[in-house]
């Protein structure tokens, strides 16, 4: 029986003590910071450094992704405005009122990402409303750079809050054992 207890302690399936949760958290925020409004960040850097065709490609891709996000908002906006708050409130209530650690982990991951999604929709609307903004490479670079800084700020706060909450949960669990 002692072997099974040792194995059960080593394979802890709680979310905040699981390495895969922290890897997923890092991957999600790294990806969100790299793909700014659907445009890869290396493309922004290349357009800033080289200009010319790289800048034109960036402006075209920025305008295309802005239109794509606005089309998604127009086509599925009503259903998203119902589904997303329901899903998030379900996770928040299940996690923080009923104590499900898995729901807490998903909430700490998804709530800030929905903030990033809202910022992306706002930028897409701004770019679509002012075609000069999306089609001028220097203005597009500035807009995407500001958006990336906002995404990174949200990511830093989300990672810190997740780490603090995860440490609290792990300390609480270790005191109960």
């Amino acid at each position: 029986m002692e072997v099974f207890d040792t194995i059960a302690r080593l394979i802890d399936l709680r979310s905040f003590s699981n390495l895969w949760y922290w890897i997923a958290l890092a991957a999600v925020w790294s990806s969100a910071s790299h793909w700014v409004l659907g445009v890869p960040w290396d493309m922004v850097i290349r357009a800033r450094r080289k200009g010319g065709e790289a800048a034109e490609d960036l402006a075209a891709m920025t305008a295309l992704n802005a239109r794509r996000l606005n089309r998604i908002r127009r086509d599925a906006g009503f259903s998203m405005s119902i589904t997303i708050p329901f899903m998030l409130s379900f996770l928040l209530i299940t996690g923080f009122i009923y104590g499900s650690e898995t729901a807490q982990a998903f909430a700490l991951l998804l709530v800030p990402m929905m903030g990033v999604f809202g910022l992306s929709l706002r930028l897409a609307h701004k770019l679509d409303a002012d075609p000069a903004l999306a089609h001028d490479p220097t203005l597009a670079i500035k807009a995407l750079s500001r958006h990336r800084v906002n995404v990174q700020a949200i990511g830093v706060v989300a990672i810190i809050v997740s780490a603090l909450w995860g440490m609290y949960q792990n300390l609480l669990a270790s005191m109960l054992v």
Side-chain angles (χ1 to χ4, degrees):
M1 285 303 224
E2 196 171 304
V3 173
F4 291 117
D5 290 335
T6 305
I7 291 173
R9 271 194 214 119
L10 287 174
I11 305 174
D12 193 2
L13 297 177
R14 293 178 309 109
S15 298
F16 295 112
S17 62
N18 195 330
L19 180 63
W20 291 109
Y21 173 74
W22 299 106
I23 291 172
L25 184 73
V28 162
W29 285 110
S30 174
S31 179
S33 157
H34 178 72
W35 291 92
V36 182
L37 201 72
V39 178
W41 187 247
D42 59 294
M43 191 174 192
V44 176
I45 302 250
R46 192 174 308 113
R48 184 183 293 153
R49 286 186 187 154
K50 294 185 179 182
E53 187 179 351
E56 290 172 16
D57 289 346
L58 172 75
M61 190 161 184
T62 302
L64 177 74
N65 283 333
R67 282 194 310 271
R68 181 182 63 85
L69 276 176
N70 281 319
R71 194 172 306 117
I72 290 170
R73 183 180 47 82
R74 277 191 303 272
D75 294 345
F78 180 73
S79 60
M80 284 191 316
S81 68
I82 293 171
T83 307
I84 291 173
F86 174 77
M87 177 186 66
L88 293 179
S89 61
F90 173 77
L91 285 174
L92 290 169
I93 290 169
T94 305
F96 294 100
I97 292 178
Y98 291 111
S100 169
E101 192 172 310
T102 304
Q104 291 172 5
F106 277 115
L108 289 172
L109 188 65
L110 292 176
V111 168
M113 284 306 295
M114 289 303 110
V116 168
F117 183 62
L119 286 176
S120 296
L121 287 177
R122 188 177 80 177
L123 178 60
H125 179 70
K126 190 176 179 181
L127 290 170
D128 212 22
D130 186 7
L133 185 62
H135 294 292
D136 182 11
T138 56
L139 294 176
I141 289 170
K142 284 182 185 178
L144 292 174
S145 297
R146 263 185 266 117
H147 183 66
R148 184 173 193 240
V149 168
N150 291 335
V151 169
Q152 287 176 329
I154 292 171
V156 166
V157 170
I159 290 170
I160 289 171
V161 168
S162 295
L164 291 174
W165 186 257
M167 283 188 281
Y168 170 73
Q169 289 296 320
N170 288 334
L171 286 172
L172 193 64
S174 69
M175 282 191 266
L176 294 175
V177 174

